[in-house]
Amino acid sequence: MRHLMNRRKLNNKGMTLIEVMLAVIILSLVGGVLLKSFSTSAQVNRDAKEKQQAMVLAQSLMESFKSYDTDALEVQFGSVTNSNFELYELGSGASKSYSADASNNKYFNLMNIEFDGQKYDAKAKMTPTSVTAPLVDISDSNVYKDAIFRGQESAEFNGFHDVIENTLLALDAKPLAPGTHYQLDGAVTIDSRVMTMNIQANTVSIGVNYTFTVTNLEYTKLDPLTATESTEYYSGTLNHSFTYLTEYGQSYDNTTTMAALENVYLYYYPLYDISGHLDCGYDGLIIENASSSPKNVYVIKQR
């Protein structure tokens, strides 16, 4: 027994070369599977992140599309440069396009949008429907409790002509013939329009303030002493303020009836940065409620 035990103690020859090779092969197989699983997991995570980013981008784009009517979208996607559609920074390599088919389906494409370090292509399809969207119904408005205003685009823009003409007349410009105006498109850019609605206990008033820049507007200068004419160019920054006046049916005063004002409706047209309109850098709407009680204000966007 002692002899056998001594032989076992001396039996420490270790692993053979074949055993080592088998162990290495097994470890390689197991390690390869683990590395592949790690790589697959990382790829799945990257794909999931990209899909989540794409969903966020798609949802943001569709919400932004709702800020425009289809006519404005068609113009922006069809003939206006990329910088005028400011949903996202499109960059120099991006492009956009618009098309429609015989069924009046509308297709809006944005290519190579930069979003969170990645580039995406977005394609939106709008299909016409016969279902009419619900609108705010003011046909039963109460003249004593409701104030209704509508945008006076023509009256406001006529004010631009007046401000410019008065400015040029102060520079000895030749008076324009009755009924004629200076051409504003291409020479005038609206820096900002701020519309302020002020709600008091029984009165509502709305004022609009424009700041606009005139660039190289050609006019004829008349020398008052010699009556000679010369061609001049005017550049400068001007201001124009407009108040919704009584003759337009835009003022509201309940101080006589003393009926409590409840609802205010504003038919509001955004200054889209599109062809045929004056470009606008900032378009703001401020609603001030100084009536000491809650009011319902409805802003109904116009074309």
Side-chain angles (χ1 to χ4, degrees):
M1 180 64 71
R2 187 181 300 115
H3 179 68
L4 290 174
M5 292 178 65
N6 290 335
R7 287 185 61 186
R8 288 180 178 177
K9 291 179 180 180
L10 296 175
N11 190 14
N12 56 358
K13 62 181 179 178
M15 300 178 65
T16 64
L17 180 60
I18 294 177
E19 292 174 330
V20 173
M21 292 179 65
L22 288 173
V24 171
I25 292 172
I26 293 172
L27 286 174
S28 299
L29 293 174
V30 174
V33 172
L34 291 175
L35 288 175
K36 186 176 181 180
S37 66
F38 292 150
S39 176
T40 302
S41 177
Q43 183 63 42
V44 169
N45 289 336
R46 283 195 297 269
D47 291 345
K49 181 180 179 181
E50 289 185 1
K51 288 181 180 179
Q52 183 179 16
Q53 288 177 321
M55 290 177 63
V56 171
L57 174 61
Q59 184 175 3
S60 299
L61 285 172
M62 293 311 299
E63 289 299 323
S64 300
F65 270 45
K66 294 177 182 178
S67 300
Y68 299 84
D69 62 30
T70 54
D71 290 342
L73 287 173
E74 290 174 19
V75 173
Q76 288 202 45
F77 275 75
S79 60
V80 180
T81 58
N82 288 338
S83 61
N84 285 8
F85 191 70
E86 298 178 345
L87 297 179
Y88 288 93
E89 183 61 40
L90 299 183
S92 58
S95 63
K96 54 185 174 57
S97 61
Y98 161 75
S99 62
D101 58 23
S103 300
N104 202 28
N105 294 306
K106 303 177 187 296
Y107 303 90
F108 302 93
N109 300 323
L110 287 165
M111 312 302 289
N112 292 323
I113 308 173
E114 295 182 5
F115 180 67
D116 199 17
Q118 300 290 332
K119 287 193 174 182
Y120 297 89
D121 295 340
K123 299 181 180 181
K125 175 184 177 182
M126 296 186 180
T127 303
T129 175
S130 59
V131 179
T132 303
L135 300 175
V136 177
D137 185 6
I138 60 172
S139 59
D140 298 326
S141 60
N142 187 321
V143 67
Y144 298 106
K145 296 184 178 182
D146 297 343
I148 303 174
F149 295 83
R150 64 186 180 351
Q152 294 292 332
E153 183 176 9
S154 59
E156 293 176 30
F157 282 176
N158 285 339
F160 279 85
H161 293 287
D162 295 338
V163 171
I164 291 174
E165 186 170 358
N166 291 334
T167 301
L168 297 182
L169 287 175
L171 299 174
D172 295 327
K174 180 181 178 180
L176 296 177
T180 60
H181 296 288
Y182 288 102
Q183 178 60 42
L184 302 186
D185 194 17
V188 174
T189 300
I190 302 176
D191 301 314
S192 68
R193 176 183 75 168
V194 179
M195 180 179 293
T196 302
M197 173 189 293
N198 182 266
I199 305 174
Q200 300 291 333
N202 295 298
T203 62
V204 179
S205 61
I206 293 183
V208 186
N209 181 263
Y210 287 92
T211 300
F212 60 99
T213 299
V214 182
T215 304
N216 294 329
L217 179 63
E218 181 179 327
Y219 70 98
T220 301
K221 185 173 182 178
L222 179 65
D223 190 323
L225 298 178
T226 63
T228 57
E229 299 179 359
S230 61
T231 300
E232 301 289 340
Y233 295 89
Y234 174 78
S235 296
T237 300
L238 302 173
N239 288 282
H240 166 51
S241 295
F242 178 87
T243 302
Y244 286 178
L245 303 175
T246 305
E247 55 263 34
Y248 292 110
Q250 304 300 315
S251 64
Y252 181 85
D253 190 340
N254 239 9
T255 54
T256 303
T257 62
M258 297 304 293
L261 177 67
E262 294 182 357
N263 305 305
V264 180
Y265 299 89
L266 173 62
Y267 286 88
Y268 172 79
Y269 60 94
L271 288 181
Y272 290 128
D273 199 10
I274 62 177
S275 176
H277 290 65
L278 298 178
D279 292 345
C280 182
Y282 174 79
D283 190 11
L285 171 62
I286 300 174
I287 301 176
E288 301 173 339
N289 183 11
S291 66
S292 73
S293 63
K295 306 297 179 188
N296 299 318
V297 178
Y298 301 91
V299 180
I300 302 103
K301 187 186 73 172
Q302 303 298 286
R303 282 183 174 273

